[in-house]
Amino acid sequence: MCLCALGVVKVATPDQLRRLTCPGTKDAATIRGGLKDLEAERLAVPSGSAVRVREDGVRVTEKLWTLTPAGLEAAAVVLDRPAREMGGTARAAAASGAKHARAVNEVLAALVQTPPEVTQPVVRKAAPAVSGADTAAEVPPGLGPLSAWSTEQVLPAAGTFQSPARGSLRADLVYASPGDVVPLMFVEVDNGTESPAAVAAKIERYRTFFDRTTALGERTVPLWRSVWDGGPDPGPGVPADRQHPPVAIVFTKQVGQDAMKARMRDVGEHALRHWRGTWVGDGRAPAGQQPDGYRDYEGAVPLLTTTLRQLAAHGPHGPVWWRFGHGEWEPLAAALDNPDDYRAYAVRDAARRREAEVREREHQERQRERPSGW
């Protein structure tokens, strides 16, 4: 468990590892024991410390643990990933307290929502039997397993994944699970330390990366598809290179509701041209009515936001997502949909054509029924 979790997050406290892997345990003693075993095998090391404040207001200092280079190789085996994709050990981040990395871990725990395992009381002869078994606390469905996630993933704006050009982005979290409700999603964790314009600038860098293509046989495909499976490839003739994966921003700073709405609105306005798509009107409308049409999202980035508080309370499948361009908080599947795209327009257009055909037939029948000479 410790190898798997540290292989994903790179640096964490024992309590964070407990909540990611075995939240049903009373405390982090199990995890600390596992980390000590890894340390004895020279696979993990304590590389710094962090302070957190418990719910009762008590400040607690905890060790930060990272893997050694040998530990990264061992974690690659556990996670079934190529060692070259494991990244670094993050010891420098741990030495400075790893504030951002710890925030990413909190978001990951809220996304995965690892369910506590059910425990069974031990029945002893000398003690009365306990009525009923302990049941695990219910948690909302998560987006997992943990092994489907990765952190600090390089997204080269130019260059390669191994040698990215300056200005390339590192995604805080990447979820890749072909066949899921969202086969691929990128997550940015916002601690409130950057301006809305700086946060929105990351969306532009995501779009730059998504727009990159590469040759695959005789076809040209998006570069990201050479690494991740973002769903069924539409095939020749369909602009799959312009259908981008979603990006989610999770705000972790505890602020008032009005302040949070203002920050979300500012980020959305600064990134407007990257998520809004293009309105395509059909130019046909009865007198006094607006022409119908649809929004073309080809090349746009589906941009979602939520807060850590909502995510932890309701899970990623709850109504916690605000999709820019939509008008309400939605579950993940609804937030990923585009109800104003060509599909809905095509249904309306087909209904109008059927109505027009009916009117035309009725008109022709009336013409035939008229007496000659009229």
Side-chain angles (χ1 to χ4, degrees), residues 13-161:
T13 66
D15 183 69
Q16 288 183 323
L17 296 176
R18 179 189 70 82
R19 286 183 284 119
L20 282 170
T21 59
C22 53
T25 54
K26 182 179 180 180
D27 54 39
T30 300
I31 292 296
R32 283 194 291 268
L35 292 170
K36 286 292 185 181
D37 290 342
L38 292 178
E39 184 181 24
E41 297 294 333
R42 298 182 180 180
L43 299 178
V45 290
S47 300
S49 62
V51 177
R52 67 180 173 93
V53 180
R54 299 189 320 204
E55 293 181 359
D56 57 6
V58 176
R59 294 170 62 88
V60 179
T61 300
E62 299 176 294
K63 288 183 178 180
L64 287 167
W65 287 79
T66 64
L67 294 175
T68 64
L72 278 177
E73 294 182 5
V77 175
V78 174
L79 293 169
D80 193 24
R81 296 178 185 173
R84 65 179 182 276
E85 296 180 5
M86 293 300 295
T89 62
R91 293 189 67 177
S96 60
K99 184 177 181 180
H100 183 72
R102 286 186 288 124
V104 171
N105 295 347
E106 295 297 325
V107 170
L108 181 57
L111 286 163
V112 175
Q113 293 282 344
T114 305
E117 293 185 7
V118 178
T119 59
Q120 181 74 30
V122 176
V123 179
R124 303 183 184 279
K125 293 181 179 179
V130 178
S131 58
D134 291 342
T135 57
E138 292 187 5
V139 298
L143 203 59
L146 180 61
S147 58
W149 290 90
S150 59
T151 60
E152 293 298 312
Q153 177 65 59
V154 175
L155 309 179
T160 66
F161 287 96

Side-chain angles (χ1 to χ4, degrees), residues 8 199 250:
V8 172
V199 177
V250 181

Side-chain angles (χ1 to χ4, degrees), residues 123-304:
V123 179
R124 303 183 184 279
K125 293 181 179 179
V130 178
S131 58
D134 291 342
T135 57
E138 292 187 5
V139 298
L143 203 59
L146 180 61
S147 58
W149 290 90
S150 59
T151 60
E152 293 298 312
Q153 177 65 59
V154 175
L155 309 179
T160 66
F161 287 96
Q162 287 72 36
S163 300
R166 177 174 296 183
S168 296
L169 191 67
R170 284 182 178 268
D172 287 334
L173 288 163
V174 179
Y175 178 71
S177 180
D180 204 341
V181 63
V182 51
L184 180 65
M185 182 168 71
F186 297 83
V187 180
E188 284 297 311
V189 176
D190 178 68
N191 299 328
T193 58
E194 296 179 307
S195 68
V199 177
K202 294 181 181 180
I203 308 305
E204 181 176 7
R205 292 158 72 188
Y206 269 105
R207 188 171 185 177
T208 299
F209 168 70
F210 291 154
D211 284 340
R212 290 194 64 186
T213 59
T214 187
L216 186 62
E218 298 181 354
R219 297 182 56 196
T220 299
V221 300
L223 178 62
W224 61 265
R225 279 191 179 271
S226 67
V227 178
W228 298 286
D229 182 1
D233 191 335
V238 179
D241 58 317
R242 303 296 292 163
Q243 307 301 321
H244 297 331
V247 176
I249 303 174
V250 181
F251 298 96
T252 63
K253 188 176 181 179
Q254 300 292 342
V255 298
Q257 187 175 11
D258 291 342
M260 180 55 66
K261 286 183 178 179
R263 183 169 179 81
M264 292 170 61
R265 181 177 62 251
D266 289 345
V267 170
E269 289 177 353
H270 279 95
L272 181 66
R273 64 190 179 93
H274 300 301
W275 59 259
R276 192 178 189 181
T278 304
W279 178 256
V280 180
D282 60 12
R284 302 189 304 271
Q289 297 184 19
Q290 293 292 328
D292 198 3
Y294 61 92
R295 193 162 292 279
D296 183 0
Y297 290 99
E298 184 177 315
V301 177
L303 185 58
L304 292 70

